Amino acid sequence: MESMEDFKDEIDRSFRQIKEGDILTGTVIGVEDTYVLLDIKYYTQGVIKAEDLSDDPKFNIRTDISVGDEVEATVVATDDGNGNILLSKKEATQVLAWDKLKQLFESKENVSVTISEAVKSGVVCYLEGIRAFIPASKLSLNYIEDEALKDFVGKKIDVRVITADEKDKKLVLSAREILREKADEERAQKVSNVQVGLVTEGTVESLQDYGAFINLGNGLSGLVHISQISNQRIAHPSAVLKVGDKVKVKVTAIKDGKLSLSMKALQDIAATEITEEKIEFESEGEATTSLADLLKKAGF
């Protein structure tokens, strides 16, 4: 049989002193259209009004909270007029959430959020119950125009906290860093399958003072240094190339996941092959590699 000693802890808690500002943990025992009832292990119940449950405009008291849920809430008043403890889940969320958000900022941990709204220059979501902003420049590896932001509403994405300012209530998230890391991992995997000496075709995607970047397809690109573009000395890659040109290149080096390419190496190979063909052709008669002799035979 259970004795009074078995209930001592619950009895002590039921008579503990509760004051405004305390954060209590309770279990949902009733859900109505305008309020939620909580068992807070006290001699009276806790009550949270619907407007004090969440800051999320999409929150629905009938679908987003259920009997049996454990809830943390701040004491707003020790008597709501009906003998219940008046609580606010929103206030407790604010206090507890910022501590959690600061931890997420420091740890750079990835978290999932669902985009709830598109606004000027970005989108809005909620993390730990706090309204957060994701700038358009942080949604993708490429900038997203304002008119395309609506396409993200309802989507679930992975983000990191990049600003958690409790004082100014400023929470900013970013997906870009995660996407960049994934892209780098994928690129590293693709580069690992490339071997020095590979000859392939690519498209000139940009010209810089120091060389040309060549898109090799399949997410890979490499640099042809200006010294490796032509056998002739050029002042700028634009003297020989323009964006969009199709070129053949040879992979000459792979370092730190970056591909070094050469067009000049293929020109050297082509020159060697032509010389060899001429030598083989002349060997059927009087073999010679003298330019003067070749011109003489041609009638010059």
Side-chain angles (χ1 to χ4, degrees):
M1 293 181 61
E2 294 178 318
S3 65
M4 288 298 292
E5 189 65 29
D6 297 317
F7 295 100
K8 184 177 184 304
D9 185 51
E10 287 192 29
I11 294 171
D12 289 343
R13 279 188 292 164
S14 69
F15 286 101
R16 71 192 186 281
Q17 185 177 8
I18 290 178
K19 59 184 184 297
E20 292 181 13
D22 286 350
I23 294 179
L24 307 179
T25 300
T27 303
V28 177
I29 56 175
V31 179
E32 302 295 336
D33 289 336
T34 58
Y35 66 89
V36 168
L37 285 176
L38 266 64
D39 176 7
I40 54 175
K41 305 300 181 184
Y42 199 55
Y43 66 83
T44 187
Q45 297 173 331
V47 61
I48 306 176
K49 295 179 181 178
E51 61 266 28
D52 291 324
L53 281 167
S54 175
D55 279 319
D56 189 342
K58 295 185 181 297
F59 178 83
N60 186 309
I61 195 170
R62 284 298 187 182
T63 58
D64 294 334
I65 193 163
S66 307
V67 171
D69 288 353
E70 195 170 84
V71 173
E72 290 179 301
T74 300
V75 177
V76 176
T78 54
D79 190 337
D80 68 343
N82 295 311
N84 298 311
I85 303 295
L86 185 61
L87 304 167
S88 172
K89 184 177 182 296
K90 287 201 303 189
E91 285 194 23
T93 296
Q94 292 279 339
V95 174
L96 299 171
W98 283 107
D99 289 340
K100 173 71 179 211
L101 293 170
K102 288 173 185 174
Q103 292 175 8
L104 290 173
F105 170 73
E106 292 171 359
S107 68
K108 302 188 186 309
E109 180 182 340
N110 295 352
V111 290
S112 294
V113 295
T114 300
I115 308 301
S116 59
E117 182 185 1
V119 295
K120 183 176 175 59
S121 301
V123 296
V124 169
C125 62
Y126 286 81
L127 179 58
E128 297 295 321
I130 304 295
R131 188 177 189 273
F133 178 65
I134 307 176
S137 60
K138 297 294 185 180
L139 267 174
S140 171
L141 292 178
N142 301 311
Y143 184 79
I144 307 298
E145 299 294 340
D146 279 355
E147 56 268 23
L149 292 173
K150 63 181 183 298
D151 296 334
F152 284 83
V153 176
K155 288 186 177 181
K156 192 172 185 178
I157 63 172
D158 290 334
V159 295
R160 285 180 189 159
V161 177
I162 58 173
T163 300
D165 188 340
E166 181 178 4
K167 182 180 178 181
D168 293 333
K169 305 299 180 192
K170 185 178 180 181
L171 178 61
V172 184
L173 312 177
S174 173
R176 186 178 177 87
E177 288 75 10
I178 300 172
L179 295 173
R180 171 57 63 195
E181 289 174 5
K182 288 181 178 179
D184 287 346
E185 288 175 5
E186 291 175 2
R187 186 178 189 282
Q189 180 60 42
K190 292 172 183 177
V191 169
S192 68
N193 294 323
V194 176
Q195 294 183 341
V196 172
L198 172 70
V199 175
T200 187
E201 186 177 74
T203 304
V204 178
E205 60 182 3
S206 71
L207 300 176
Q208 309 296 330
D209 291 342
Y210 51 84
F213 282 97
I214 310 299
N215 184 344
L216 304 177
N218 196 29
L220 288 177
S221 63
L223 173 67
V224 180
H225 189 267
I226 190 169
S227 65
Q228 293 298 312
I229 292 177
S230 172
N231 281 318
Q232 297 179 335
R233 187 171 181 176
I234 56 177
H236 192 274
S238 59
V240 177
L241 301 170
K242 63 180 183 295
V243 173
D245 281 352
K246 297 286 186 182
V247 295
K248 285 190 176 181
V249 293
K250 179 179 181 180
V251 178
T252 56
I254 303 173
K255 185 177 181 181
D256 299 328
K258 297 178 180 179
L259 301 178
S260 294
L261 310 174
S262 175
M263 294 168 58
K264 179 181 174 181
L266 295 181
Q267 294 169 8
D268 292 342
I269 291 173
T272 301
E273 290 174 346
I274 291 170
T275 301
E276 289 174 348
E277 288 172 1
K278 286 183 178 179
I279 292 172
E280 291 173 358
F281 175 77
E282 291 293 332
S283 65
E284 293 180 2
E286 184 181 348
T288 177
T289 58
S290 168
L291 178 59
D293 289 340
L294 291 174
L295 292 174
K296 183 179 178 180
K297 286 178 179 291
F300 292 99

